[in-house]
Amino acid sequence: MESDDGALPVVRVGDISSGETSRRWLIEGLWGASAVGLIGGAPKCCKSWLALDLAVSVATGTPCLDAFDVDHPGPVLLYMAEDAAPVVKARLAGLCRTRALDLASAPIHVITTPVLRLDRGRDQARLRAAVRQLAPRLLVLDPFVRLHRIDERPLTIDDFFR
């Protein structure tokens, strides 16, 4: 039901069409096709390395973590905010070497702007244009916390009724 007051649209669960229920995977059993998700964990627990392994797998059609198949490989777009482009390239090259792949032929693209802020309309538009241009199967934005100004104060239910 669409609301006139700008609230998010809501539908009763019983009114949702049963439609197609088979799950489509980008990485079989690990990451859904067209999925949006977060990789979370403690600092220095290899989240960025996992994101890079996902990227190499999707770009090259090789199994992610040597265990999860990629049925529909394609281009990948990366923004690695905490690492310089040469560091990202060296890490990707290492992952490719272990799979006997040529990094130069992998359709992996790296956003090189020093600052990308998703809370700025101009940066949103620039990212949208890059995504339209490359049509990546996977977009990695790492780390998310560096992509916006954040109020680190925990939200309370009262915050939604101000």
Side-chain angles (χ1 to χ4, degrees), residues 5-155:
D5 63 1
L8 293 170
V10 177
V11 63
R12 270 184 351 104
V13 71
D15 296 334
I16 296 172
S17 169
S18 294
E20 175 66 36
T21 58
S22 66
R23 181 166 243 175
R24 294 192 38 196
W25 296 100
L26 177 61
I27 301 171
E28 190 67 37
L30 185 64
W31 199 272
S34 301
V36 174
L38 297 172
I39 298 172
K44 304 298 178 196
C45 71
C46 297
K47 298 178 298 289
S48 295
W49 279 100
L50 174 57
L52 292 174
D53 195 87
L54 291 164
V56 169
S57 296
V58 170
T60 64
T62 56
C64 184
L65 302 173
D66 203 27
F68 300 94
D69 290 336
V70 175
D71 292 329
H72 303 287
V76 172
L77 181 57
L78 299 172
Y79 181 66
M80 307 297 284
E82 292 182 333
D83 298 306
V87 172
V88 173
K89 181 178 181 178
R91 290 179 178 178
L92 290 167
L95 290 168
C96 284
R97 241 185 337 271
T98 65
R99 299 177 195 197
L101 297 170
D102 175 33
L103 176 60
S105 64
I108 300 173
H109 307 272
V110 178
I111 297 169
T112 59
T113 189
V115 177
L116 176 64
R117 296 284 300 274
L118 298 180
D119 54 351
R120 293 183 186 154
R122 182 173 185 270
D123 283 359
Q124 290 173 19
R126 293 170 68 205
L127 178 60
R128 200 174 298 117
V131 167
R132 265 193 231 110
Q133 179 183 18
L134 293 169
R137 289 234 192 260
L138 179 67
L139 169 64
V140 174
L141 303 172
D142 178 45
F144 187 71
V145 72
R146 295 271 309 269
L147 298 170
H148 57 87
R149 284 183 294 256
I150 187 168
D151 177 2
E152 299 209 13
R153 175 185 61 84
L155 288 175

